[in-house]
Amino acid sequence: MKFVMSYSCGKDSTLALHHMLRAGHTPVGLLVMVKRAETRSYFHGATTDMLRRYGQALDLPLLLCPSDGADYHTALEEGLHRARALGAEGAAFGDIDLEANRAWEEARCQATGLAPFFPLWQRVREDCVDELLRLGYRCLIKSVNNTLLPEGLLGRDLDREAVEVIKGAGADPCGENGEYHTLAVDGPVFRAPLDFQTGEILRFGDYSVIDVR
């Protein structure tokens, strides 16, 4: 089946893409939601230049969907329509167990005539992290909720040691509640690793983010 991957550049959507490819499905592109004013991806903050490099590293077309937030659902649906025009029969998402998120995405798919796929659905959260590490994916910790996690995690790889720090702080090791976000930069689905540089740490209320370019 041909599908479009709803892609955040983070670990969960990358693992979901891995599962879809392993199951024999064919991707037509990466659908990425972008903040219109900032020209960065939602939630993970990848710049447009980084997104272009993601497309090259994954060897897939990008379907960028600019939104100011208020029109997020219509922007996503427009992207799904574009994917369908490229031959997509379904759309895949990296959700694990948040019912409200899944219901919202299913509604977007229903509106555009695509079948929704959730290859990670109802898996144990920590098992997803364990599989990422076992498969050899490299994921950079891009942001943390600094009321829960130390800023020292920023800019380092999500590895066994980092997972223990996260668990020791009483946070979800998979970060499904927004404890942290990552950028996947290498692994089996990448044709080549992404080169990057980290810069200053920026603070926005309860969240700290490291600049990655």
Side-chain angles (χ1 to χ4, degrees), residues 15-197:
L15 184 59
L17 175 61
H18 180 102
H19 277 259
M20 292 296 288
L21 294 172
R22 189 169 65 186
H25 300 299
T26 303
V28 302
L30 304 168
L31 190 155
V32 183
M33 301 300 295
V34 177
K35 293 182 180 180
R36 183 177 284 116
E38 300 177 24
T39 63
R40 285 179 177 263
S41 67
Y42 270 89
F43 309 114
H44 294 71
T47 65
T48 50
D49 180 61
M50 288 175 66
L51 292 174
R52 178 179 60 81
R53 293 173 187 268
Y54 268 98
Q56 293 171 346
L58 294 168
D59 195 24
L60 288 171
L62 292 174
L63 285 74
L64 301 183
C65 303
S67 168
D68 59 12
D71 63 345
Y72 195 93
H73 68 293
T74 55
L76 177 60
E77 288 180 11
E78 180 183 344
L80 293 175
H81 278 299
R82 289 161 57 197
R84 188 174 181 185
L86 293 175
E89 304 159 80
F93 303 87
D95 297 87
I96 298 174
D97 56 21
L98 298 180
E99 295 281 357
N101 286 9
R102 175 170 178 153
W104 187 88
E105 288 155 352
E106 287 178 333
R108 307 285 75 75
C109 287
Q110 183 176 13
T112 54
L114 294 177
F117 287 84
F118 299 88
L120 307 183
W121 190 249
Q122 293 298 337
R123 296 192 60 195
V124 175
R125 291 180 178 186
E126 190 169 352
D127 287 353
C128 292
V129 178
D130 288 341
E131 183 181 18
L132 274 166
L133 299 181
R134 188 176 70 252
L135 290 170
Y137 280 99
R138 184 183 180 194
C139 300
L140 181 77
I141 298 175
K142 170 71 187 296
S143 69
V144 296
N145 182 330
N146 53 38
T147 69
L148 300 171
L149 296 174
E151 280 190 353
L153 288 171
L154 290 172
R156 61 178 287 184
D157 288 351
L158 179 66
D159 54 17
R160 302 285 181 191
E161 182 180 349
V163 170
E164 290 305 313
V165 171
I166 294 166
K167 290 167 61 177
D172 174 22
C174 199
E176 280 298 281
N177 304 308
E179 293 91 338
Y180 70 94
H181 289 298
T182 60
L183 291 172
V185 295
D186 196 13
V189 299
F190 288 84
R191 299 293 180 92
L194 285 166
D195 293 326
F196 62 89
Q197 292 180 331

